[in-house]
Amino acid sequence: MNFCLNTQLSFPYKFAVVSASTGAGKSIAMANSVRIAAAQMTSVNNLAVNFATCSRLVKEAASAGAKLLCFPENFSFVGDLEGESLKIAEPLDGPIMKGYCSLARESNIWLSLGGFQEKGSDNAHLRNTHVLIDDNGNIRSTYSKMHLFDVDVPGGAVYKESSFTEAGKDIIVVDSPFGRLGVTVCYDLRFPELYQQLRFNHDAQVLLVPAAFTTVIAAAQAGKHNDKRESYGDTLIIDPWGTIVGRLSDRSSTGITVADIDFSLIDSVRAKMPVCKHRKPAEFWNQSV
């Protein structure tokens, strides 16, 4: 059971763990309860306008006592025309991400930036990258979205993310002052094996699912970005019992929702409902194949 901010199977992906530490290399002690926030916004095809919105929300979250603020997928840019996202894509050491690193450092807050247009291996591709920045403005971890959104609805929208995006292969968990974070992006949520890997094989306590999609858990895009694209919104923070503990009053507005993560509650739920012990091992499923 985990806090969400939104099988023992064969899994052909690599795995990485990032430990939280101070600049001197010492581990950061994790408090029993910590305040976090999730942001909702309507990004447009203007980097400066989106940064100004993010800056305002960061200050609002910091004033509310939040130590981590989670932004939605495509927080920095949503293209209006085909190819716009590729044109603005940058490496992680470029000026766009440096601006967000400075924002984290100035407000003394961790940022989950889910869905940054990171420059890919060639000019025809980018990576949809979830970036975690600590309160010193340092990038602690990155995760490239594994499951790319390709959809062709008869008589409706056609979207093929794989035509311009490189799929990631690494499972990422990050040790932080907010627990052990399982890092994902949007459409990943449709594939439970990734989350089972994060929870059962890698002990994730908090799942980060930034999105620009339909009704999902975590920081979400909302509203009409342009004439062609609209996001549902409804940013949520959900506790291990499935109780919604953070939600914006208006699912399509720009703002933040704040909640306290209680790690004793996570331990209590896992003790009362030991799903990990009840799961069938890989051998059980393999014998029926």
Side-chain angles (χ1 to χ4, degrees):
M1 295 296 181
N2 309 278
F3 266 89
C4 295
L5 282 174
N6 176 124
T7 62
Q8 186 69 23
L9 300 174
S10 175
F11 210 67
Y13 300 119
K14 294 183 287 184
F15 164 69
V17 179
V18 180
S19 298
S21 62
T22 64
K26 298 179 180 178
S27 296
I28 298 175
M30 187 178 72
N32 194 52
S33 178
V34 63
R35 178 160 294 182
I36 54 88
Q40 183 167 284
M41 61 188 295
T42 307
S43 296
V44 294
N45 62 338
N46 187 309
L47 291 164
V49 168
N50 296 328
F51 183 81
T53 299
C54 291
S55 180
R56 174 172 61 83
L57 295 176
V58 165
K59 292 175 183 177
E60 185 178 341
S63 296
K67 302 302 181 184
L68 165 69
L69 175 58
C70 301
F71 280 102
E73 184 182 25
N74 300 333
F75 63 97
S76 62
F77 188 86
V78 170
D80 191 0
L81 303 175
E82 184 176 348
E84 277 190 316
S85 293
L86 282 172
K87 290 180 180 178
I88 62 92
E90 284 188 358
L92 295 175
D93 60 357
I96 299 175
M97 189 52 62
K98 283 184 177 179
Y100 285 91
C101 288
S102 296
L103 194 58
R105 181 173 60 253
E106 291 164 4
S107 295
N108 193 34
I109 191 171
W110 283 58
L111 297 180
S112 162
L113 303 175
F116 174 68
Q117 290 95 344
E118 180 187 4
K119 191 172 180 59
S121 59
D122 57 56
N123 292 331
H125 294 86
L126 54 77
R127 297 185 185 94
N128 191 337
T129 302
H130 188 158
V131 183
L132 280 172
I133 303 175
D134 67 17
D135 52 3
N136 290 317
N138 299 315
I139 294 177
R140 285 304 185 92
S141 181
T142 62
Y143 161 80
S144 293
K145 185 179 180 181
M146 286 183 185
H147 303 98
L148 304 182
F149 187 61
D150 289 0
V151 63
D152 185 352
V153 180
V158 176
Y159 193 82
K160 194 172 181 62
E161 189 176 17
S162 63
S163 68
F164 61 92
T165 306
E166 298 174 356
K169 295 183 178 180
D170 295 344
I171 298 174
I172 300 295
V173 294
V174 182
D175 289 324
S176 78
F178 324 102
R180 194 170 175 85
L181 308 177
V183 188
T184 68
V185 176
C186 196
Y187 191 51
D188 284 333
L189 191 61
R190 296 280 185 171
F191 302 90
E193 59 270 23
L194 172 58
Y195 295 89
Q196 290 167 348
Q197 287 278 326
L198 288 168
R199 163 63 183 94
F200 298 116
N201 290 10
H202 306 304
D203 300 322
Q205 295 172 292
V206 180
L207 302 175
L208 303 181
V209 196
F213 194 49
T214 53
T215 311
V216 292
I217 297 167
Q221 289 281 352
K224 194 167 185 177
H225 308 280
N226 51 58
D227 290 338
K228 300 178 182 178
R229 183 166 181 176
E230 184 172 359
S231 297
Y232 186 82
D234 206 9
T235 291
L236 303 172
I237 302 173
I238 304 173
D239 79 5
W241 281 128
T243 302
I244 296 173
V245 295
R247 189 177 205 167
L248 272 74
S249 57
D250 182 349
R251 72 166 180 81
S252 61
S253 66
T254 293
I256 65 169
T257 181
V258 177
D260 295 322
I261 293 180
D262 184 349
F263 294 99
S264 63
L265 175 62
I266 297 176
D267 294 338
S268 174
V269 172
R270 289 182 176 180
K272 293 175 180 177
M273 190 184 297
V275 176
C276 190
K277 294 180 180 179
H278 298 160
R279 295 177 70 243
K280 303 297 185 184
E283 295 76 15
F284 176 88
W285 301 108
N286 291 337
Q287 67 185 358
S288 61
V289 174

